[in-house]
Amino acid sequence: MNLAYIPSPSTGVIHLGPVPLRGYAFCIILGVFAAVWIGNRRWTARGGRAGTVADIAVWAVPFGLVGGRLYHVITDYELYFGEGRNWVDSFKIWEGGLGIWGAVALGAVGAWIGCRRRGIPLPAWADAVAPGIAVAQAIGRWGNWFNQELYGKATDVPWALKIDADPAIGRVAGTYHPTFLYESLWCLGVAALVIWADRRFKLGHGRAFALYVAAYTVGRFWTEYLRVDDAHHVLGLRLNGWTSILVFLAAVAYIVISARRVPGREAVVEPGAAESEGEVEDAPRPKSAKKL
């Protein structure tokens, strides 16, 4: 019997009168705010305008949510379109189910639209927000804790996660590896790595973002190995495991090729910045300004 473990919430919803506050949604929203805040600090430190990151996030976040949900529904279609399932549940995003691969892919489309509207290069914006996205993922993973989902193999380690039984979905009570916690901590490490590497090597042209992608996929591959939820397998490996490998290789290839073609870091110049800031773009930056 495991006497030391991490307890799970008895419910993922708190009701304030008739208004339900869902833990999963709260974690996603909190993560978005953290990503925008961190991205804004990094963007302005590079010479960009305050508010640009938030303006582009207005495009990127909705696209990302749609992409994340589409990836989840497509790769786990049997949960919504199988025998005895209700396809309407595929729209219930608050119950969990966002695929990071789809979120990043379609979110990039939204970011590209936003960047074109502001007249700034997408790679530079992506470099600025990369650590913030990793922190957002670290926060968002706690939504899985509220929903008691996506845990790992059974274990009796002191930091095991206690899961309650739910016969309706075939969930068995016990203590399991808290993969949500592992991935959350890994994402915080990824954010720290990108910030350090960006300062040390002056990464530019999307390479800070590519580093975030490559580093994240390493940890994701490991947590996928531990997870026990149903998933499609290809050649004995979970689908997301293969995706992690392919995305890792693509990210590393991008870093190497782009470093040779466009070395260094590009300057950030926003059209109209001088007019909107009262022609003070050449004013010296306060020495106390901090960079992320």
Side-chain angles (χ1 to χ4, degrees), residues 161-180:
L161 176 67
K162 185 177 184 297
I163 295 295
D164 300 324
D166 188 345
I169 58 175
R171 192 169 66 199
V172 179
T175 55
Y176 301 85
H177 277 289
T179 51
F180 86 91

Side-chain angles (χ1 to χ4, degrees), residues 104-150:
V104 171
L106 208 55
V109 174
W112 175 78
I113 295 173
C115 286
R116 279 185 62 86
R117 290 170 61 89
R118 294 299 294 260
I120 61 176
L122 174 61
W125 184 85
D127 284 342
V129 301
I133 294 176
V135 172
Q137 288 179 253
I139 297 172
R141 271 304 174 198
W142 285 83
N144 301 136
W145 177 62
F146 280 102
N147 286 356
Q148 296 196 44
E149 61 184 0
L150 306 186

Side-chain angles (χ1 to χ4, degrees), residues 70-91:
L70 281 175
Y71 181 90
H72 167 72
V73 172
I74 291 172
T75 55
D76 290 299
Y77 60 88
E78 67 280 356
L79 298 178
Y80 307 101
F81 303 100
E83 184 178 354
R85 302 289 185 172
N86 186 352
W87 64 272
V88 175
D89 292 339
S90 63
F91 295 97

